Amino acid sequence: MKALFRRIRHAPHGPKADEGERGRTGGSEPRRPAAGDPGTGHSSGSVLRALLSPRSAAGQVFLLQVGIVVLLVVAAVTALILQAHRDSTREARRQSVTAAEAFANAPGMEEALKSPDPTAVLQPRAEAFRKRGGVDFLTVTDTRGIRYTNPIPERIGKKFVGNIGPSLHGHVLVETLDTPSGHVVQAVVPVTGSDGSVIGLVSSGFKVRSVTSMAANQLPIILGTGAVALVVSTTGTALVARRLRRQTHGLGPVQMARMYDHHDAVLHAVREGVLITGPDGRLILANDEARRLLDLPADVEGRPIGSLGLDEGVERMLASDEPVTDEVRPAGDRLLAVNKRITAPYSGQPGSVATLRDTTELAVVSGRAEVARARLTLLYDAGVRIGTTLDVTRTAEELAEVAVPRFADVAAVDLLEAVPRGQEPSSEAWGRMRRTALCGGAKTSALPPAGKLITVAPGTAPDRALESGRAVAETVPHAAAGPPPWDYQGPEPDRDQGHGPDQDQVRAMPEHGLRSLVTVPLRARGATLGMVHFWRTGDAPAFEEDDLSFAEELAARAAVAVDNARRFTREHAMAVTLQRSLLPRGVPEQNALEAAWRYLPAEAGVGGDWFDVIPLPGSRVALVVGDVVGHGLHAAATMGRLRTAVRNLSALDLPPDELLAYLDDLVIRIDADERTDEEPGEGAGVTGATCLYAVYDSVTGLCTMARAGHPAPVVVRPDGTVDSPQVPVSPPLGLNGIPFETAELRLAEGSKLVLYTDGLIEDRNRDIDSGLALLHGVLHGVADRTPEETCQTVLDTMLPEHPLDDIALLVAGTRLLDPSQVARWDVPSDPRAVAGVRRECARRLEEWGLGETAFTLELILSELLTNAIRYGTEPIGVRLLHDTNLTCEVSDAGSTSPHVRRAATTDEGGRGLFLVAHYAQRWGTRYTPDGKVIWAELAPYADAAGGMADATADTLLAQFDDEL
């Protein structure tokens, strides 16, 4: 276009110019010049001048091709020389190493070096070898570098020139030296003796030959190829130049004028105004579209820009020398997009060219597109920002925050009261809602605040929106004399104090600038959860029809997030309720430990953490902490099954390692059952769990524990020291791993045993090691605190802000049973010893103030001790423990366990254990590494004999003695 303007400026315009050209040409069509005509440029002389002239395109292409050919020839020659030099050097290095190693390993080399005159022996050999191998030089030296041989005899006995250090250590060295005789490559090879030591050195080398002779043979080929390429390129350039000149047909001025006429027609036909100004600020050319857009007069060419009556902004833009790109300028009732460029680099005379385009209609369309783009952006932001948490209230607040101020000036969210609690919404509760979120700053002063109870008035916009399920708009929320859209009441305490609806404040909303309202119901999965209100205030435009559809789309997206939060709240509450129902409600009655515990579910959902305190016979207690993999109802249910299993297995009084083995088998069977129940195509979810089981004996202070993939416990000694016992760790439950191992540690009275799950010491910002170190630091100052205070201190310090996993914490303060409450006797395997032990036990019960239970204890002791003497193995012992209950234990070295059975009427025996089970609160068998213990517990001060007469009691005991 710019070239066209230059041609138009220097060509005559209008019909007169056309007639003048026709007159000079006779009005005929332009003739095609004949070949050889000087005007056509087809002669060989003109072609040659074009090739030799650097100003022509053909000459420039020719020079470029010549330069490329010369460059390629130079590059080829250089590459040839470098390659020849590299090959000769590489060959010299290889041959020098080969020659030196061959001579160094030649037979008799060691004897020659150790001879009295090595030179006399080696010089002839070296020279003969050098001549046969074509080596430039071959030198033998001793370990100090003194030459024994050399092609130049005068150098024998002198110092070798080169580096011999690496060769003295047994290495082969190849180096390149610049010597007065030229470039030399030499290899130095060690000569080793029979003992492996270096006894001399051999150096051979070659002079690097000149590569000129090697490259000279190929140089003519390269130069010839370059010359041929140059000739071909010259011929091709000439043919192309001749072809191009032929394509123009040698057109003269007349033919070019006709071409300009065509261009002039195009110039005035396009729907884009064109203005060309000269260096003096006068208008040179204006096409028809420019005249129309700027309302220019007919005689506009040649006039100064300032005399055209243009708008001030357009006139200043055209008169300046600055370029303009897509700048929108008002011109009358039009908006013009202006582009302006300076013509100085493209024309002989400086000036400028400006194009004008009418964008009045485009501005309207662009405005609508911008609004649509802003709404799409807002919907995208809503999808990102609404529902970031699974909290109903926070989700409602996010909806209000997204809408203000980009869509509305004020936004309020009202939800049915059942929704924040996670319950199912119902249509019967539509009339009463709770304001959950309100956003808009000071403009919200006329509205019911968050937390207030909202009552929807019949016939109002909120009521119609709830009934129709669609957005409803009102330019003014309500008339002053009509009913308000809602009234609101305060919380329950406010209503008790007599505060009623503040309808005057609600009716005053127009006076606070709330001019336009859109109410949209929040519906998800076919249920109405509440509604959202959008207000515009002051001079903001009222809501239109397009705004209603956008509000419905925004509310629909938010409703799904609110419903997801509601459903999560319900599921979370159910899971928490289930898990808390499966966890201990309190610490059972026992005197062995003072225990305290804490359980905190994760924010994302409950998991499978659990703990337990289980009293065991013999003034012992079991402490359990475990963690099931995963979260949710499944993990909580699995936790309940494992906790029940642990309680049942603890009733068997199993050692910790055996109990974990049974628990591991249970987890494997649970996993197998779940795999069987899975639908085809679902992922196989492996059930896994960790567990720590510890048994503390308050009589001896011994604590036996085992763990399956669980964090080690922490012990706080009475002196305040804190350590983690080295309890062997086994694989988690459900992996069918190696047998479990136990560890024993003796705890002093007043120690604290801290058991926990990994949620306490590990989170996204803290690894296990740093968490364990932090726990140790917290426990350093709790030696004088109760377990309850210790639990609170640990949680206050270590609880994450947003727990991602459940946290179970169990702190147990140890106690020791007073030695005066323990009595023990060793019993010989003699039936006559039973009566004596029975009398000793009765005497000890009198000392403890438990004489009322003496008969029941003697009866039970007689049966247990009789069975131990008859069927057991020595040593046999009896132990009484006076704790919460009275416990009688009979131990022996046997492994057989007695069983209760009902004796027939005619049986003479078999009723002993039946009497034990009847009169004892509970009884059982506990296996130890040395045998077994049969125990029975009695409630203190209870006459289990039921008032049996002394005579009858004496008769029973006499029968036992007779049986013995």
Side-chain angles (χ1 to χ4, degrees), residues 2 97 154 250 376 408 476 623 677:
K2 297 185 176 87
V97 171
E154 291 78 8
L376 287 175
V476 178
L623 302 175
D677 295 339

Side-chain angles (χ1 to χ4, degrees), residues 515-732:
R515 303 297 183 185
S516 184
L517 164 68
V518 169
T519 298
V520 191
L522 293 173
R523 293 179 57 83
R525 299 178 178 91
T528 299
L529 308 174
M531 54 187 175
V532 56
H533 313 279
F534 302 109
W535 284 274
R536 286 182 179 172
T537 63
D539 298 332
F543 290 107
E544 299 176 353
E545 191 66 27
D546 292 343
D547 295 320
L548 298 185
S549 59
F550 174 79
E552 290 178 348
E553 177 67 22
L554 181 61
R557 298 192 179 199
V560 174
V562 171
D563 191 58
N564 288 339
R566 178 192 66 81
R567 293 160 66 91
F568 171 78
T569 301
R570 181 187 63 186
E571 298 293 337
H572 186 266
M574 291 173 57
V576 170
T577 302
L578 172 62
Q579 185 168 37
R580 290 194 180 278
S581 67
L582 297 174
L583 290 174
R585 299 298 179 90
V587 179
E589 182 182 359
Q590 46 81 36
N591 291 332
L593 294 169
E594 180 186 359
W597 56 270
R598 292 288 189 278
Y599 169 75
L600 296 174
E603 285 188 354
V606 297
D609 293 19
W610 95 91
F611 62 92
D612 212 343
V613 179
I614 307 172
L616 298 177
S619 296
R620 295 173 305 127
V621 64
L623 302 175
V624 192
V625 174
D627 185 1
V628 176
V629 174
H631 291 83
L633 292 175
H634 172 73
T638 304
M639 176 272 292
R641 298 171 69 178
L642 295 183
R643 179 172 178 256
T644 303
V646 171
R647 276 195 163 268
N648 292 335
L649 292 173
S650 66
L652 301 177
D653 221 341
L654 298 173
D657 56 338
E658 293 186 22
L659 186 142
L660 290 182
Y662 281 109
L663 204 61
D664 180 60
D665 182 64
L666 173 62
V667 173
I668 293 174
R669 282 187 279 117
I670 291 175
D671 181 38
D673 294 341
E674 290 181 353
R675 291 176 182 271
T676 303
D677 295 339
E678 285 177 355
E679 295 293 335
E682 292 184 358
V686 177
T687 300
T690 64
C691 183
L692 188 149
Y693 185 83
V695 176
Y696 173 71
D697 190 344
S698 64
V699 178
T700 61
L702 189 66
C703 184
T704 306
M705 61 183 68
R707 59 180 176 137
H710 201 82
V714 178
V715 175
V716 182
R717 307 288 181 181
D719 59 359
T721 58
V722 179
D723 66 341
S724 293
Q726 298 299 319
V727 181
V729 59
S730 301

Side-chain angles (χ1 to χ4, degrees), residues 25 27-35 37-40 248-252 254-255 258:
T25 60
S28 62
E29 292 294 325
R31 68 179 180 87
R32 184 185 300 272
D37 189 348
T40 63
T248 62
H249 302 294
L251 294 179
V254 177
Q255 291 80 15
R258 294 181 65 85

Side-chain angles (χ1 to χ4, degrees), residues 688-881:
T690 64
C691 183
L692 188 149
Y693 185 83
V695 176
Y696 173 71
D697 190 344
S698 64
V699 178
T700 61
L702 189 66
C703 184
T704 306
M705 61 183 68
R707 59 180 176 137
H710 201 82
V714 178
V715 175
V716 182
R717 307 288 181 181
D719 59 359
T721 58
V722 179
D723 66 341
S724 293
Q726 298 299 319
V727 181
V729 59
S730 301
L733 303 174
L735 300 182
N736 197 15
I738 60 178
F740 299 96
E741 300 181 57
T742 60
E744 293 183 351
L745 63 151
R746 197 168 299 277
L747 301 177
E749 186 172 11
S751 300
K752 291 182 178 63
L753 185 62
V754 182
L755 310 180
Y756 53 90
T757 56
D758 57 359
L760 179 68
I761 61 173
E762 182 183 20
D763 64 2
R764 67 178 63 180
N765 299 320
R766 184 173 61 202
D767 57 20
I768 293 180
D769 293 335
S770 58
L772 189 59
L774 180 60
L775 177 61
H776 279 224
V778 174
L779 294 176
H780 266 294
V782 300
D784 56 344
R785 299 186 185 182
T786 64
E788 187 70 27
E789 295 172 342
T790 302
C791 282
Q792 194 60 44
T793 301
V794 170
L795 288 186
D796 290 344
T797 305
M798 302 194 61
L799 182 64
E801 183 178 357
H802 300 287
L804 300 179
D805 195 5
D806 291 10
I807 296 176
L809 175 64
L810 178 61
V811 178
T814 61
R815 298 169 178 166
L816 288 178
L817 193 64
D818 191 276
S820 63
Q821 295 178 274
V822 182
R824 180 178 177 82
W825 297 272
D826 294 326
V827 181
S829 184
D830 185 356
R832 291 173 296 180
V834 175
V837 174
R838 202 166 55 219
R839 287 191 297 272
E840 291 292 330
C841 290
R843 186 180 304 111
R844 181 57 61 94
L845 291 182
E846 291 293 339
E847 295 176 1
W848 289 343
L850 303 177
E852 298 177 358
T853 62
F855 169 74
T856 304
L857 177 65
E858 291 183 55
L859 185 64
I860 293 174
L861 177 62
S862 297
E863 173 59 27
L864 298 181
L865 192 55
T866 299
N867 285 340
I869 293 174
R870 283 183 175 180
Y871 310 110
T873 306
E874 289 186 307
I876 300 173
V878 174
R879 188 173 72 165
L880 294 182
L881 302 177

